[in-house]
Amino acid sequence: MSDSVHTEAHDHSHPPSFYYKVYGVLLCLLVVSIVGPMMGGLTVLLVTAFGVAVVKALMVAAYFMHLNIERKYIWWVLVMAVCFLLVLFYGVAPDVMKSHGVNWKSLSTPPPAAAEPAHH
Amino acid sequence: MSAFQIPVATTRSVTGIPTGRLAIWWVLASEIVIFGGLVTCYILFRLRHPEWAAEAAHTKLAAGAFNTFVLLTSSLSVVLAHLAATKKDTVNAKRYLTYTILGGLVFLCVKAYEYTSEISHGFTITRSVFWSFYYTATALHALHVVGGMTIMAIILPDVAKGKFLPRVEYIGIYWHFVDLVWLFLFPLFYIASAA
């Protein structure tokens, strides 16, 4: 193919100040992800720690890795890898998360505590 | 310059994407499966064992938060290096790449401090499954940090001479991914003790 790709780079119309702004937002989100879980509550933790982590990751991917202007081919490569992970998760989850099923029982599950004898 | 001195990856493209950049994305796709598989298994076990919250409470939140700050900052410096390389500004490209290497070094120093402190308190890799996951995931990530720093140190002399500048973009994409992985490891191992 063309030798021109040797010098090809993404078309960066963004000035350095754009990246500083993205960086500033990422730092603000970092503070939210640290302070948020301290407020307590599972929902708050899930949103502020993991929800914000997803937002931060998407921002890094989109603006720093330039996935927002990357060809769709790359998106499909990455989506395919994530699909493999979903297959792994949902394929293994029943064995890990459940203690028993139809015709099987987890040997690692501790037996239920013996019932208290009735007082007469 | 003979043909052997020109990297094929920077002079050929089948998909419309420079082959070097395409290769990096394929590497990252495989890395998603490696890190993702590890994290997926951890999440499954963590959901099954709520008592791991007590173990997770012993990780150092302040050190993890500082390392997140360091990696985000190094991500900024490497994207600025990429921007400078695009403009053929070799002086700034070299400067920002050096900052990124230093960022990686700071990250590793903090990680070494954490490991030393945790091990000295008896939280070794064999203590429990939680700590096995913790050391495996964070050490694998640290290994990737070392790899990124090494590659940046290797390309630095060429960047200073204005040669093979697209490599700055390729290592930048890799470094952002290393940062991105840490963005998930941080809440999983340092913050989720409340869950």
Side-chain angles (χ1 to χ4, degrees):
Chain A
M1 290 289 287
S2 167
D3 283 354
S4 63
V5 293
H6 175 64
T7 54
E8 181 191 332
H10 286 110
D11 177 25
H12 299 291
S13 53
H14 300 304
S17 60
F18 171 79
Y19 295 109
Y20 280 106
K21 283 177 188 167
V22 174
Y23 173 67
V25 174
L26 286 169
L27 289 188
C28 290
L29 290 174
L30 172 61
V31 172
V32 171
S33 68
I34 296 167
V35 175
M38 292 177 182
M39 295 166 66
L42 185 61
T43 308
V44 176
L45 179 131
L46 290 175
V47 171
T48 55
F50 296 102
V52 169
V54 171
V55 173
K56 280 189 287 184
L58 288 175
M59 285 185 70
V60 170
Y63 301 121
F64 284 176
M65 299 170 91
H66 301 111
L67 260 180
N68 57 339
I69 54 170
E70 186 57 272
R71 287 172 186 264
K72 292 293 172 221
Y73 176 87
I74 298 299
W75 281 86
W76 289 114
V77 169
L78 301 177
V79 166
M80 183 190 67
V82 173
C83 285
F84 281 136
L85 288 182
L86 293 177
V87 170
L88 172 69
F89 186 90
Y90 287 106
V92 177
D95 283 350
V96 178
M97 302 299 295
K98 295 179 73 177
S99 60
H100 66 279
V102 180
N103 297 328
W104 69 272
K105 185 179 176 183
S106 172
L107 295 175
S108 62
T109 305
E116 287 285 325
H119 293 286
H120 295 286
Chain B
M1 180 181 285
S2 76
F4 292 105
Q5 288 174 292
I6 303 171
V8 173
T10 59
T11 58
R12 192 174 64 182
S13 173
V14 177
T15 57
I17 304 167
T19 313
R21 196 165 83 216
L22 181 64
I24 281 293
W25 283 116
W26 274 105
V27 166
L28 296 192
S30 68
E31 295 279 3
I32 286 175
V33 180
I34 293 169
F35 278 107
L38 195 59
V39 166
T40 298
C41 291
Y42 172 75
I43 291 172
L44 284 169
F45 276 90
R46 183 70 177 77
L47 293 172
R48 188 81 173 91
H49 298 280
E51 69 273 14
W52 284 13
E55 301 274 8
H58 293 290
T59 55
K60 296 185 179 302
L61 176 63
F66 179 72
N67 261 350
T68 309
F69 166 75
V70 168
L71 278 190
L72 285 175
T73 308
S74 69
S75 258
L76 172 70
S77 64
V78 85
V79 82
L80 291 176
H82 175 201
L83 193 65
T86 307
K87 295 173 181 170
K88 306 223 181 322
D89 178 0
T90 57
V91 175
N92 275 326
K94 184 188 172 189
R95 185 160 65 99
Y96 285 123
L97 269 185
T98 308
Y99 289 164
T100 310
I101 294 172
L102 290 175
L105 203 60
V106 171
F107 177 89
L108 292 176
C109 287
V110 173
K111 206 76 212 115
Y113 158 74
E114 275 185 79
Y115 281 170
T116 307
S117 174
E118 284 152 359
I119 290 169
S120 65
H121 284 88
F123 301 114
T124 60
I125 193 169
T126 55
R127 181 185 169 99
S128 68
V129 183
F130 169 82
W131 289 101
S132 297
F133 268 115
Y134 169 81
Y135 282 108
T136 305
T138 55
L140 184 65
H141 177 266
L143 201 62
H144 281 73
V145 172
V146 172
M149 289 166 61
T150 306
I151 294 168
M152 275 186 258
I154 290 171
I155 69 168
L156 208 53
D158 281 341
V159 171
K161 294 173 191 166
K163 289 164 64 180
F164 311 131
L165 290 178
R167 287 174 177 175
V168 178
E169 179 184 14
Y170 306 155
I171 188 60
I173 293 172
Y174 171 86
W175 191 261
H176 295 311
F177 178 78
V178 172
D179 176 22
L180 204 143
V181 169
W182 182 259
L183 291 179
F184 288 105
L185 295 185
F186 174 58
L188 281 171
F189 289 111
Y190 293 84
I191 296 180
S193 58

